[in-house]
Amino acid sequence: MPTTAETIEQLSTGRDYKYGWSTDIEAETAPPGLDEGIVRFISGKKNEPEWMTEWRLKAYRHWLTMQEPVWPKVDYPPIDYQKVSYYSAPKKAGEGPRSLDEVDPKLLETYEKLGIPLSEQKILAGVVAVDAVFDSVSVATTFKGKLNELGIIFCSISEAIREHPELVKKYLGSVVPYTDNYFATLNSAVFSDGSFVYVPKGVRCPMELSTYFRINAENTGQFERTLIVADEGSYVSYLEGCTAPMRDENQLHAAVVELVALKGAEIKYSTVQNWYPGDENGKGGIYNFVTKRGICEEDAKISWTQVETGSAITWKYPSCILKGDNSIGEFYSVAVTNGAQQADTGTKMVHIGKNTTSTIISKGISAGRGQNSYRGLVQVNKRAKNSRNYTQCDSMLIGNKCGAHTFPYIDVRNNSAQVEHEATTTKIGEDQIFYCNQRGLSEEDAVSLIVNGFCKEVLAELPMEFAVEAQKLLGISLEGSVG
Amino acid sequence: MLEIRNLHARIADEDAEILKGLSLSVKAGEVHAIMGPNGSGKSTLARVIAGDEAYEVTDGSIEFGGNDLLEKEADERAQDGVFLAFQYPVEIPGVSNTYFLKEALNSIRRARGEEELSASDFLKLAREKAKLVELDEALMKRSVNVGFSGGEKKRNEIFQMAVLDPKLAVLDETDSGLDIDALRIVANGVNKLRDQNRAIIVVTHYQRLLNYIVPDQVHVLVDGRIVKSGDKSLAEHLEEVGYAWVDGELKSAQTAGV
């Protein structure tokens, strides 16, 4: 494989998490705990207008009335929300750097280690614009100039709140209201940063927009908020990648992503998630409780693609509300659980408009003692004539201590709808591995090859350069899972 | 090239021995046929040579090119030039035949300290070798063995052999499930791969394959041992009288021994 040499290099140090280093930079961190004062502190740090502070406070007060959900098929000790710090920023933040020259060189080094092509030159050679979020603060957004010419706004959400309040006011919380669910509500109160994208009418964004999230500081929660608005007839492809250092204690990540695809617009949202999964005994690792949802107006399309290899616990259901007639929702997912990882992930496709179509392709891979659940809802409302859904849900088991579970919910209230569900479970075969071995491939390469074949339909949906990264990740995260 | 001495083997974690003291010597350039009734241990022999961990060697040795073969893992044996054409080739969904074979070849080349082939050089090589077994190019793009007919799978095995260019090829019942035309194509492919630097072991139940691939030596395997060796006329004789004949000879030999 083109990547084998690299893979082996990573493997030679054991089943190590490649991104497990932390960066020693001065950070300004809020004391642990959560109350109205902290909410105001965060809002104040960001020089937010009063309406934003009020919105956060409403969310916080609502959160106090809510219970943490217990229905997911994941198991973790209770989280003490008063022990988490809700804000951490590299010092010198506040204003935010105007150009890369102003960014702390140590931070840039960090991003280089992450393999993000952050320096302008590299990016000019590529096709990616990056907004990098380090702990809570958006560090640098590259390629702004070129995007500006097209009227595309790509900036941190904090900047958007200050510079484009009319857009943020109109759309923030329009897809995921602050009352939505326990984690989304918490996020609404304390979100610290994230990305904002606006693509004007009829504009096709010429490059992939990308955000890299990294949790660095100890005992810090990361609560990003991403809002993408694609105006009528526009197109944008967006990718987020995530890593975190190795820490013995669990770190909380509760993000919210809202997508708005107006009439005839298309949003493609891809995630390669590689948060630290914890060690083999389940110590440490990220709790990834994420709410992602998009709304499609008439003739619009939203496509979610996710490759989830990290996190101790993943709780995540990127969803599409197919409100407009003829709108399309897609969900392509690969979720890997190895060691003691647990994932409860899937999607919701809510058909409201006529002739709406949704496709769900989910590939769950369980190894070690990993527990992998697909949970999906396909809902066809009364008015949604001639709606169609196709769901394919495949599970692969490696070894005999892991588990795969499928919870498909189908709720159809219009008899012209057509809903298909297919599910398979396979075990990676010793005969398959022996066949590959006999042709000269090592066991790691064999597993990687077979798994990548299993996930092919999903990987094919990722932008090319990220597909390669995802393939590598799959190989690395399953290292040592056979034999 | 290949020296098997007093080989004893069984399925891992099971008591019953399948190979019970098998010895065999194959030189480079030779084609040996191993014939025997069902259950005599033919496929076990093929699997043990290739390094299948489902089998356990309890005694004896295998030397390959002067080195201890049993010391090595299956992938290392392949890298050293051992090839097994499977009786039941395995399906790998989502992995194209071409990609699979390119990865395999480059893995072998890396292990030998040779430079990897680029995608275009590999394709050139693959196209050329595909002709040997009249393999449809469309099959090269499809997932490994998925939806292939029985004949296509067997042809694909010989195609892989042609690309990987092994020093020792073991063909495990490559003729099973083939009609006469497919048999001829596969056999022609194998014949084109006969080479003075390569040893080939043809494992088969029937003599008919040996009409096309004419062996230098024929060995009859019964109950885990080679009980008779000879030239190709042995195979013809066997076809006439059946395995019962060997069984009878074996029993009388054993009785005489007592």
Side-chain angles (χ1 to χ4, degrees), chain A residues 1-2 4-5 430-432 434-443 445 449-450 452-454 456 471, chain B residues 47 52 74-75 78-79 82-84 86 90-95 99-100 103-104 107-108 145 157 160:
Chain A
M1 210 141 315
T4 305
E430 274 163 20
D431 55 338
Q432 281 178 319
F434 177 59
Y435 191 71
C436 294
N437 284 164
Q438 211 302 306
R439 296 301 184 250
L441 296 165
S442 69
E443 194 155 288
D445 286 352
L449 191 84
I450 294 164
N452 276 300
F454 175 71
K456 193 182 183 187
Q471 274 186 14
Chain B
R47 292 260 169 174
D52 187 347
D75 53 335
Q79 290 156 5
V82 175
F83 180 89
L84 171 64
F86 283 62
V90 176
E91 298 183 1
I92 309 178
V95 178
Y99 182 75
F100 173 70
E103 292 306 304
S107 179
I108 290 172
N145 292 320
E157 292 293 289
Q160 295 186 13

Side-chain angles (χ1 to χ4, degrees), chain B:
Chain B
M1 172 172 287
L2 182 74
E3 279 292 336
I4 303 178
R5 292 191 196 92
N6 188 36
L7 187 67
H8 290 255
R10 61 185 180 194
I11 293 175
D13 305 323
E14 284 184 20
D15 289 334
E17 276 198 337
I18 301 173
L19 299 180
K20 304 171 179 173
L22 181 146
S23 297
L24 176 69
S25 174
V26 184
K27 293 193 183 69
E30 292 181 346
V31 175
H32 287 226
I34 310 271
M35 300 184 69
N38 291 330
S40 58
K42 300 190 299 290
S43 281
T44 300
L45 175 63
R47 292 260 169 174
V48 167
I49 293 173
D52 187 347
E53 285 175 5
Y55 296 88
E56 185 184 354
V57 173
T58 52
D59 200 5
S61 65
I62 305 180
E63 255 180 41
F64 175 63
N67 296 315
D68 183 357
L69 192 69
L70 296 176
E71 283 270 293
K72 300 192 171 183
E73 303 285 339
D75 53 335
E76 297 168 321
R77 298 184 197 192
Q79 290 156 5
D80 285 350
V82 175
F83 180 89
L84 171 64
F86 283 62
Q87 183 179 3
Y88 304 107
V90 176
E91 298 183 1
I92 309 178
V95 178
S96 87
N97 220 7
T98 314
Y99 182 75
F100 173 70
L101 198 51
K102 179 165 85 63
E103 292 306 304
L105 179 63
N106 280 335
S107 179
I108 290 172
R109 293 179 68 98
R110 271 198 308 275
R112 293 178 182 167
E114 296 165 6
E115 211 168 296
E116 294 185 26
L117 283 192
S118 68
S120 65
D121 284 347
F122 174 80
L123 269 185
K124 217 184 283 169
L125 175 75
R127 289 212 178 97
E128 181 195 314
K129 301 296 183 188
K131 285 186 196 135
L132 278 182
V133 282
E134 301 173 32
L135 189 79
D136 191 340
E137 274 201 35
L139 287 186
M140 287 165 59
K141 291 182 192 134
R142 297 235 305 261
S143 291
V144 179
N145 292 320
V146 176
F148 285 29
S149 71
E152 286 168 341
K153 283 183 181 172
K154 296 301 175 76
R155 265 194 251 183
N156 194 31
E157 292 293 289
I158 305 305
F159 163 62
Q160 295 186 13
M161 170 181 163
V163 170
L164 299 180
D165 193 23
K167 295 194 189 95
L168 169 69
V170 181
L171 314 185
D172 189 6
E173 308 234 6
T174 296
D175 51 334
S176 69
L178 293 188
D179 63 32
I180 196 73
D181 292 326
L183 182 72
R184 196 179 294 130
I185 292 168
V186 166
N188 281 342
V190 174
N191 283 331
K192 285 178 199 153
L193 293 171
R194 288 179 84 147
D195 184 304
Q196 56 177 2
N197 297 316
R198 186 174 358 253
I200 298 176
I201 297 175
V202 180
V203 173
T204 179
H205 187 83
Y206 300 105
Q207 190 267 340
R208 64 171 192 166
L209 177 66
L210 306 180
N211 288 334
Y212 298 96
I213 305 173
V214 181
D216 299 301
Q217 281 195 54
V218 175
H219 309 277
V220 182
L221 183 62
V222 177
D223 195 25
R225 285 186 206 94
I226 287 173
V227 295
K228 232 176 175 36
S229 297
D231 60 14
K232 64 174 176 148
S233 64
L234 176 59
E236 284 155 15
H237 184 61
L238 207 60
E239 182 81 356
E240 269 168 42
V241 298
Y243 287 110
W245 163 72
V246 206
D247 265 348
E249 290 235 324
L250 186 65
K251 274 181 194 121
S252 59
Q254 279 169 340
T255 319
V258 169

Side-chain angles (χ1 to χ4, degrees), chain A residues 283-318:
Chain A
K283 193 165 189 209
I286 301 286
Y287 290 164
N288 194 31
F289 302 130
V290 172
T291 304
K292 293 183 167 180
R293 195 176 304 151
I295 190 160
C296 286
E297 299 291 344
E298 206 181 322
D299 298 322
K301 176 175 173 182
I302 287 179
S303 178
W304 298 100
T305 304
Q306 59 173 20
V307 175
E308 305 272 324
T309 63
S311 293
I313 294 174
T314 298
W315 179 100
K316 182 179 165 187
Y317 315 90

